[in-house]
Amino acid sequence: MDWLDRVAKLRRWSNNGSRAPHKPLLLLYALGSHQRDAERELRYGTVEEDLKRLLAEYGPSHPTTPAYPFHHLVSDGVWEVRTDRGAGSPGSGVGVLRSSGAAGRLAPDLRAALRREPSLLGRLVRVLLDTHFPPSLHLELCEAVGLDLELAETGAVTGADAAARRGRDRRMRELILTAYEFQCAFCGYDGMLGSTSVGLEAAHVRWWSHDGPDEVENGLCLCSLHHKLFDKGVLGLGDDHRILVSQRFVGRSEASRQHVLALVGRPVLGPQTGNPPVARQHREWHARQVFRGVPRVPVGAGAG
């Protein structure tokens, strides 16, 4: 059985590019648990709050429940659920999962495969991360689910796949950083170490894992801080190519005011003449699927 292929093809609800990372997040959490204790079952009532936090941090911006993937992941053949009454999931309702003592863990055949080939765990993690999340969140996600990232990287991508991946990353980085003249489109940071830019990254607006193309019209040159905040939904792009800052972001320090809150309503810097700005369809995808809450109103807006 090809477990990598099965995990890569997890059945997910899909509608016009909407993100539905519920199953991938649960499976990452289960792999982290398996890495620490291969025999542990995850009782829904015990892990529900952990899964809620994962969905709130890394899921879609609208409210959602971990009960859905806890039940439906069984149909993908990688997960099993039993209750106090025996094998089988009682359904996707929060109440019935709690009251029945529902507990889940990796499917028996998958656990056996991981015992035979421990490095499979790392490859499964890499497939989940690459397929569903941008690279800027990979380390943070592994930490959030309790995975040892060094193990997750072991044997993750090899051969032709590794070469193709490195080529894609180099092409995107060169295209975007050149188009934005090696400065952060949000704050203007343009640091160099000798003749090499440092702390600047090529950010996908619509994530590559969600059909975002490696093109200038889907990219921004951002410093490491603003790339992370953009991918976390703290920052966004308005229809007028001005920077959005979520009302849900709270920062009381002078650093937070200078580096985040001061960006409200500021126009994006670049790209240079001859390169397209971020395309509307990609801005709109980010606004629907990543940006958190409602944008702050620029100081003085609407005053009269």
Side-chain angles (χ1 to χ4, degrees), residues 89-213:
S89 174
S92 60
V94 172
V96 70
L97 285 169
R98 291 173 181 164
S99 63
S100 65
R105 62 176 176 173
L106 300 178
D109 288 348
L110 177 52
R111 299 201 308 272
L114 288 168
R115 285 194 297 271
R116 291 192 303 271
E117 187 182 358
S119 64
L120 174 62
L121 188 147
R123 297 198 298 277
L124 292 174
V125 169
R126 175 53 61 193
V127 167
L128 288 166
L129 292 174
D130 284 347
T131 304
H132 302 285
F133 304 98
S136 64
L137 298 182
H138 289 184
L139 174 60
E140 183 179 316
L141 255 172
C142 285
E143 292 175 349
V145 300
L147 272 161
D148 182 331
L149 187 59
E150 288 189 11
L151 177 58
E153 293 288 349
T154 301
V157 184
T158 58
D161 288 341
R165 178 180 175 146
R166 288 193 297 268
R168 187 198 80 219
D169 288 345
R170 282 199 302 270
R171 174 179 176 271
M172 179 67 172
R173 177 178 168 80
E174 181 180 354
L175 282 173
I176 299 303
L177 269 62
T178 299
Y180 283 84
E181 300 184 279
F182 294 85
Q183 66 172 352
C184 176
F186 287 177
C187 69
Y189 169 82
D190 60 355
M192 305 283 288
L193 183 64
S195 60
T196 305
S197 64
V198 61
L200 288 173
E201 300 168 357
H204 285 80
V205 178
R206 180 176 183 135
W207 297 351
W208 182 85
S209 59
H210 286 72
D211 302 319

Side-chain angles (χ1 to χ4, degrees), residues 3 6-7 10 27 73-74 76-80 105-107 110:
W3 291 105
R6 177 167 290 193
V7 166
L10 291 178
L27 190 49
L73 188 59
V74 172
D76 292 278
V78 298
W79 177 251
E80 67 173 1
R105 62 176 176 173
L106 300 178
L110 177 52

Side-chain angles (χ1 to χ4, degrees), residues 11-20 68 206 210-211:
R11 289 188 289 274
R12 294 174 294 147
W13 174 85
S14 179
N15 181 28
N16 194 31
S18 297
R19 287 202 300 135
Y68 172 88
R206 180 176 183 135
H210 286 72
D211 302 319

Side-chain angles (χ1 to χ4, degrees), residues 26 42-48 51-52 65-74 79-86 88-105:
L26 173 58
L42 301 174
R43 196 173 183 91
Y44 182 81
T46 301
V47 302
E48 181 179 14
L51 297 176
K52 280 183 177 179
T65 171
Y68 172 88
F70 204 92
H71 167 73
H72 287 287
L73 188 59
V74 172
W79 177 251
E80 67 173 1
V81 175
R82 68 165 187 82
T83 68
D84 294 338
R85 296 185 294 275
S89 174
S92 60
V94 172
V96 70
L97 285 169
R98 291 173 181 164
S99 63
S100 65
R105 62 176 176 173

